[in-house]
Amino acid sequence: MASLNVGNLGEYLREQRRNAQLSLRQLADAAGVSNPYLSQIERGLRKPSAEVLQQVAKALRISAETLYVRAGILDAERDRDEVETRAVLLADPSLNERQKQVLLQIYESFRKENGFGTGGSEQEAEGEERPGSAEDDTGDTTARGTRTAGGSDAGPRRTAGQ
């Protein structure tokens, strides 16, 4: 497991708390942790558990995964894109909770369709090209031939810039 980056986490938590216009005491109450403990986390003096991070994330209405990455609990390189996408969707104030959940379900279904499950993949972690797409010399993105569920090869499809 990666070492905890508590200072970075504390700064991030403070920023999120201020963006949510919550006092330290209000966030501590909402998260079910003590005010001094939360203060110590924000100042980088304490290493919170995943459970505490989850409670704080819920109180701030942000993704717990984002806090896990900031704390070094999740591998940032492997999970960053997925976590950031989820965090942006969850943080959008113009969407209600049902809409956010529907968007997350659609996002996850597209990831699975493209061969990436929940939590990222080893190919993404190593920076390898995603299967199913390539850029030709004109800059257009085309889908490469992929094997369908029935076992037949699907030919290239033009996906942009036709």
Side-chain angles (χ1 to χ4, degrees):
M1 178 169 27
S3 64
L4 294 180
N5 187 357
V6 184
N8 186 27
L9 171 66
E11 293 169 16
Y12 181 75
L13 280 176
R14 182 178 293 120
E15 178 184 326
Q16 294 303 308
R17 177 177 58 79
R18 289 178 176 162
N19 288 342
Q21 298 179 344
L22 292 172
S23 70
L24 191 64
R25 187 174 309 277
Q26 288 171 319
L27 178 57
D29 289 343
V33 298
S34 74
N35 188 38
Y37 181 61
L38 185 58
S39 175
Q40 290 173 345
I41 293 170
E42 280 194 0
R43 290 181 289 145
L45 302 175
R46 288 287 191 138
K47 298 177 182 179
S49 68
E51 292 79 18
V52 168
L53 289 175
Q54 185 174 18
Q55 291 169 241
V56 170
K58 185 176 180 181
L60 287 170
R61 301 181 67 152
I62 62 174
S63 165
E65 288 84 3
T66 301
L67 296 184
Y68 297 157
V69 169
R70 293 279 179 163
I73 294 171
L74 287 179
D75 181 8
E77 291 302 315
R78 192 182 85 193
D79 299 326
R80 181 173 300 144
D81 290 341
E82 180 183 1
V83 169
E84 287 179 356
T85 301
R86 289 175 181 277
V88 167
L89 289 173
L90 290 170
D92 189 333
S94 66
L95 301 174
N96 65 38
E97 290 304 312
R98 184 188 62 77
Q99 291 168 331
K100 291 175 185 180
Q101 291 307 312
V102 168
L103 280 173
L104 287 173
Q105 289 171 354
I106 292 168
Y107 172 69
E108 187 58 36
S109 71
F110 283 148
R111 285 181 52 79
K112 285 179 183 175
E113 182 179 308
N114 292 331
F116 300 98
T118 304
S121 75
E122 294 304 316
Q123 285 183 333
E124 284 183 46
E126 297 168 9
E128 294 177 14
E129 189 174 296
R130 290 176 182 246
S133 68
E135 189 170 288
D136 65 19
D137 54 357
T138 65
D140 289 342
T141 303
T142 59
R144 290 190 178 148
T146 56
R147 190 162 299 277
T148 64
S152 65
D153 287 331
R157 297 178 277 128
R158 182 73 66 184
T159 58
Q162 293 188 6

